[in-house]
Amino acid sequence: MIISYMDLRLIIFLVVMITVIDIFIGHKIENGKKPKGDRESCIRDILQEKLPNLSETSKFSKHNREGLLKGIFSLDDFLAIAMFILFLVIHRLKYVKDIGILYILIRGFRLITMSVTVLPQPNNNCKPPSERNMIDRWLSGGCNDSIFSGHTALMIILLLYISKGVKSNFMKLMMVLFMVGYSLLIIMLRNHYTVDVVLAWFISISTFILYENREYLFKKGYL
């Protein structure tokens, strides 16, 4: 889908708006609606128990980092930025409008799920907004807005559009394996529970399929 200048401005405005709302609600949940109990006393996460905990190291997790990037950008953030740059190299602005629309839809779904069920924070190193610097407060959501993983969902959407420019089945397989590894990384960083990542897979792929086939579904009267 080719994007016009007016469409691009509208998409950017809506993306920024839904992101700000998402962060605002995340902070509100953390400040006033987070559970009183800790995760160890009420939640059993099988993969978190079996996989290494990377949330303690400053090399991979933002929570214990010092210096200029203190509290900002974990390894999953850097990988997401790198993948978006790769997308721009392959497709330029060809699918930007589609990704923007899917971003808005997925963040909208996330606003609902994280508001109706609030879990204890998956990462004990996550600091409340009052203890973070201004940049970290606005780039990161709250500690308790876990359901579901926006990073996982949006990375899947990016890879699905990148795959449109990839003909090699081997490279597509590598992309799938990368996505599985990325999902495990998010769990090991303790940025999300396993259920958050699993839900992100279902929601992102389902949303992508429905969006890509919207004309056929409208024609058939399903939408």
Side-chain angles (χ1 to χ4, degrees):
M1 181 183 293
I2 305 300
I3 186 169
S4 67
Y5 177 66
M6 291 298 295
D7 287 340
L8 181 60
R9 290 204 304 176
L10 177 60
I11 290 295
I12 291 174
F13 170 77
L14 292 175
V15 163
V16 172
M17 184 178 71
I18 196 74
T19 302
V20 170
I21 293 173
D22 188 295
I23 293 171
F24 174 79
I25 291 179
H27 289 173
K28 187 174 182 180
I29 288 172
E30 183 179 345
N31 287 326
K33 297 183 178 181
K34 64 180 179 181
K36 295 180 180 179
D38 58 26
R39 63 178 299 277
E40 283 78 12
S41 64
C42 59
I43 289 180
R44 178 81 185 273
D45 191 306
I46 305 301
L47 282 187
Q48 281 195 359
E49 293 174 5
K50 294 185 178 299
L51 293 172
N53 183 356
L54 300 181
S55 67
E56 305 291 339
T57 171
S58 60
K59 291 182 180 180
F60 302 109
S61 176
K62 64 185 177 184
H63 299 292
N64 292 313
R65 184 178 293 123
E66 298 295 334
L68 182 62
L69 294 178
K70 180 179 180 180
I72 303 172
F73 295 137
S74 294
L75 179 57
D76 56 329
D77 297 308
F78 287 113
L79 290 174
I81 293 170
M83 199 56 57
F84 184 68
I85 293 173
L86 177 62
F87 162 80
L88 292 176
V89 169
I90 295 174
H91 295 300
R92 297 188 180 180
L93 298 180
K94 184 176 181 181
Y95 297 113
V96 167
K97 183 176 180 179
D98 301 292
I99 289 178
I101 292 172
L102 287 171
Y103 176 92
I104 294 164
L105 290 173
I106 287 172
R107 290 299 283 254
F109 296 154
R110 187 173 181 273
L111 287 175
I112 297 172
T113 56
M114 75 181 194
S115 299
V116 297
T117 301
V118 183
L119 299 176
Q121 64 187 52
N123 192 326
N124 291 327
N125 294 307
C126 185
K127 297 177 176 62
S130 59
E131 297 180 20
R132 303 183 204 166
N133 59 56
M134 184 177 296
I135 297 176
D136 182 31
R137 285 202 303 270
W138 284 103
L139 286 181
S140 304
C143 297
N144 297 86
D145 52 341
S146 60
I147 303 175
F148 52 93
S149 172
H151 278 69
T152 303
L154 296 171
M155 179 67 87
I156 290 173
I157 294 299
L158 268 178
L159 287 172
L160 286 170
Y161 277 105
I162 288 174
S163 69
K164 289 191 171 190
V166 176
K167 296 181 179 180
S168 169
N169 290 330
F170 175 76
M171 290 304 300
K172 290 182 178 181
L173 175 61
M174 290 298 101
M175 291 167 65
V176 172
L177 293 178
F178 169 81
M179 193 60 232
V180 171
Y182 184 81
S183 300
L184 294 176
L185 173 65
I186 288 178
I187 296 170
M188 288 188 286
L189 286 169
R190 301 297 190 264
N191 289 339
H192 282 282
Y193 295 108
T194 302
V195 67
D196 305 333
V197 174
V198 172
L199 282 173
W201 275 78
F202 283 106
I203 292 171
S204 58
I205 293 175
S206 300
T207 305
F208 175 82
I209 292 173
L210 289 172
Y211 178 76
E212 285 292 296
N213 294 279
R214 62 194 182 281
E215 293 182 2
Y216 172 80
L217 295 173
F218 274 116
K219 185 177 179 180
K220 293 293 183 179
Y222 296 124
L223 293 176

